[in-house]
Amino acid sequence: MSGKRWSGRFSKATHKSVEQFTSSVDVDRELWREDIDASIAHARMLGDQGIIPKEAAARIIEGLGEVGAEIEAGRFQWRDDLEDVHGNIEGRLAQLIGAETAGRLHTGRSRNDQVATDLRLWLKRRLPGVRESIARLQRSLMVRAEEQVDTVLPGYTHLQRAQPVTLAHHLLAYFEMLQRDQVRFASCLESVDELPLGSGALAGAPYPLDRRAVADELGFARVSANSLDAVSDRDFVIDVQAASATCMMHLSRLAEEIVLWTTSEFGFALLDDAYATGSSLMPQKKNPDVAELVRGRSGRVYGNLTAILTTMKGLPLSYNRDLQEDKAGLFDSLHTLTSCLEAMTGMIETITFDAARTEAAASDPTLLATDFADYLVQRGAPFEEAHGIVGRLVRLAEDSERSLTELSLDELRGVSSLFDEDVLCISAESSVESRSLPGGTGADSVRTQLERARQLLGEA
Ligand code: ARG
């Protein structure tokens, strides 16, 4: 029975196709460093507690260091027949230090608590990098917003021109979305921060394991409270998948704006040549493929979230092999998210805005209809009534193929005597400036938002 581990109760080797079918080493070898670190912590604790001889613990720790060095140097032979990263590392350890000593490492431990520990440790180490990538995109949005405090463009609802806003305000809306992503990933870091090791296969372990010492060596805040839950809980994977999906949704929305803004129809922005691609057929084309791919890849990450939720939903306690399916999607989501964040950061850093085009679009007088109504309210009209008056004015202007601002003061007064000469000063700029309350699009509010952004990025 070549290669078969835990073979005592079997009379046959596993069929080659079953070996390949059940093997996860192609995916979970990603966890090798965490697997070695967690094994070292476990071995040290076993030795310190007198559960295995101290010399055995020392040889195991030394051997694991050697295995790690081999993997790092690319000299390690990964084997399908050893099933997973754990089997591969222990198999090699046995070759290096002898099966008898190596065999003591698995005392009081199962692959069920081991894999949950490795994955949590891997996330503890990777999630800060994701948060840094989010922060880099936030920073690029903040820097570009600082240049655009006075640039006006139409704000939209229903993708219909609605009211003038500043470009800085628009860009900072994405900063805020990403700030919520930061909070979500910080909370993911809390949910992964728990040590399952010591839960055994499902019921705990009959040895005086010092779980707190292992948690301390690996940097975990808590040890799990219930062994059945600990070996079968993947909520932390779902949390990360959900946070990734939400962040991808934000990136996809920003990508969609870039796609729209760079059309000839909008013309609000121009992509840097380094972030645009050509067409194999149409020589004039400059395509926003990077933005489109970010938008498209949100689908993959949503798929990964749906996959893990579906994998989990019918599982009885405790460990089931279905759980092995948790990793491929998780690694894929984090890789996809990080590469999308990086591409988006480069695109935002290099995109140029066409203020002449945004301002021309923002000078569409229909955008000022609300300001006309607000003007009447400031002169005592109830808002409903003001809304009706301006509605009539819009129709009057349309009927004579003019815009709202082309109506004469006499015509305005014909509909409401509340209009005075100063109504003629209403403009996109005055509209924006009048909205400087906290959260508004006016320059004072935008400067406050920029200060908040600097503070959140730790640059204030
Ligand atoms: N490769 C497995 C996983 O990722 C490790 C745990 C296997 N445990 C077991 N009882 N077969 O979940």
Side-chain angles (χ1 to χ4, degrees):
M1 282 208 293
S2 61
K4 186 157 179 153
R5 304 186 71 212
W6 313 290
S7 59
R9 57 103 58 230
F10 293 95
S11 58
K12 265 189 190 170
T14 317
H15 196 283
K16 213 46 210 154
S17 69
V18 173
E19 226 166 69
Q20 276 168 13
F21 185 75
T22 54
S23 168
S24 57
V25 66
D26 284 348
V27 172
D28 61 28
R29 54 195 274 187
E30 172 72 29
L31 300 175
W32 71 265
R33 200 184 289 276
E34 287 68 31
D35 195 68
I36 286 181
D37 290 350
S39 287
I40 288 175
H42 184 67
R44 195 185 325 277
M45 179 276 292
L46 291 176
D48 289 348
Q49 294 293 99
I51 300 168
I52 65 172
K54 270 218 178 268
E55 317 75 66
R59 282 180 64 200
I60 289 170
I61 291 169
E62 198 187 323
L64 285 167
E66 238 174 285
V67 178
E70 286 182 7
I71 299 174
E72 182 133 54
R75 283 188 276 115
F76 191 86
Q77 287 288 320
W78 293 98
R79 282 169 50 182
D80 256 1
D81 60 325
L82 294 179
E83 249 186 71
D84 51 25
V85 61
H86 327 292
N88 269 271
I89 289 174
E90 275 190 54
R92 181 66 185 137
L93 182 67
Q95 286 175 343
L96 288 173
I97 67 168
E100 203 185 308
T101 309
R104 294 189 188 278
L105 170 60
H106 218 55
T107 312
R109 176 177 90 168
S110 133
R111 281 181 303 155
N112 300 349
D113 55 351
Q114 188 180 359
V115 71
T117 300
D118 292 358
L119 193 54
R120 284 174 178 273
L121 189 55
W122 187 88
L123 282 167
K124 249 173 93 66
R125 292 172 176 178
R126 293 306 186 288
L127 292 182
V130 175
R131 297 190 75 217
E132 277 161 30
S133 297
I134 297 174
R136 277 196 287 277
L137 178 55
Q138 286 184 291
R139 185 164 199 288
S140 70
L141 287 163
M142 178 190 75
V143 167
R144 300 311 309 267
E146 272 166 349
E147 309 159 2
Q148 308 293 343
V149 177
D150 298 317
T151 311
V152 180
L153 81 162
Y156 295 79
T157 61
H158 313 270
L159 200 56
Q160 306 283 328
R161 285 180 183 169
Q163 291 179 344
V165 295
T166 60
L167 184 49
H169 196 54
H170 196 121
L171 294 171
L172 289 170
Y174 285 95
F175 182 98
E176 291 298 327
M177 293 181 215
L178 292 167
Q179 187 54 35
R180 291 193 295 276
D181 292 323
Q182 289 284 15
V183 173
R184 266 182 280 273
F185 276 105
S187 133
C188 286
L189 265 166
E190 273 174 38
S191 74
V192 302
D193 205 1
E194 182 169 301
L195 177 81
L197 208 61
S199 301
L202 75 161
Y207 303 96
L209 304 179
D210 185 347
R211 301 188 62 202
R212 191 58 253 173
V214 175
D216 287 343
E217 174 160 347
L218 296 174
F220 282 105
R222 313 177 296 276
V223 298
S224 55
N226 180 300
S227 60
L228 289 168
D229 179 44
V231 296
S232 66
D233 165 34
R234 294 295 182 275
D235 290 5
F236 64 99
V237 176
I238 294 172
D239 289 347
V240 173
Q241 290 283 21
S244 303
T246 306
C247 189
M248 283 301 295
M249 177 270 290
H250 293 149
L251 297 187
S252 181
R253 293 182 70 180
L254 180 55
E256 170 61 12
E257 304 249 31
I258 289 172
V259 170
L260 277 176
W261 285 2
T262 54
T263 56
S264 332
E265 285 75 6
F266 274 79
F268 290 178
L270 194 69
L271 287 172
D272 190 78
D273 277 356
Y275 282 86
T277 41
S279 157
S280 58
L281 190 144
M282 299 163 283
Q284 86 283 11
K285 293 287 291 263
K286 180 166 172 180
N287 292 331
D289 293 41
V290 175
E292 291 170 292
L293 283 169
V294 169
R295 194 176 56 186
R297 284 180 187 156
S298 60
R300 269 169 79 143
V301 177
Y302 293 7
N304 291 334
L305 170 61
T306 307
I308 184 67
L309 284 168
T310 312
T311 295
M312 297 301 296
K313 77 176 273 291
L315 297 187
L317 287 175
S318 61
Y319 180 86
N320 299 272
R321 193 63 179 267
D322 317 44
L323 291 173
Q324 182 167 290
E325 294 302 302
D326 59 353
K327 287 170 220 63
L330 179 68
F331 298 159
D332 180 58
S333 284
L334 288 181
H335 170 75
T336 304
L337 175 61
T338 312
S339 58
C340 287
L341 283 164
E342 250 129 60
M344 199 48 111
T345 303
M347 206 157 34
I348 294 294
E349 276 169 358
T350 54
I351 200 167
T352 40
F353 297 106
D354 188 338
R357 289 284 301 240
T358 63
E359 272 158 23
S363 68
D364 172 354
T366 53
L367 291 170
L368 302 175
T370 318
D371 293 274
F372 274 69
D374 291 332
Y375 174 95
L376 294 171
V377 169
Q378 271 152 23
R379 273 158 190 70
F383 184 78
E384 287 272 326
E385 189 188 321
H387 190 282
I389 293 169
V390 179
R392 265 174 276 149
L393 289 173
V394 168
R395 210 174 53 220
L396 179 69
E398 263 175 24
D399 287 348
S400 53
E401 289 181 13
R402 286 175 298 164
S403 69
L404 194 56
T405 50
E406 283 168 339
L407 296 175
S408 69
L409 188 54
D410 283 345
E411 283 171 303
L412 297 178
R413 277 186 190 283
V415 181
S416 167
S417 58
L418 290 174
F419 283 115
D420 238 323
E421 207 146 317
D422 56 351
V423 71
L424 304 174
C425 300
I426 293 178
S427 67
E429 287 68 29
S430 74
S431 168
V432 163
E433 256 337 286
S434 68
R435 291 176 170 76
S436 267
L437 84 170
T441 189
D444 282 352
S445 157
V446 168
R447 281 198 197 92
T448 309
Q449 292 180 57
L450 285 167
E451 257 167 55
R452 165 184 154 80
R454 277 223 177 272
Q455 256 160 26
L456 287 168
L457 293 176
E459 295 181 10

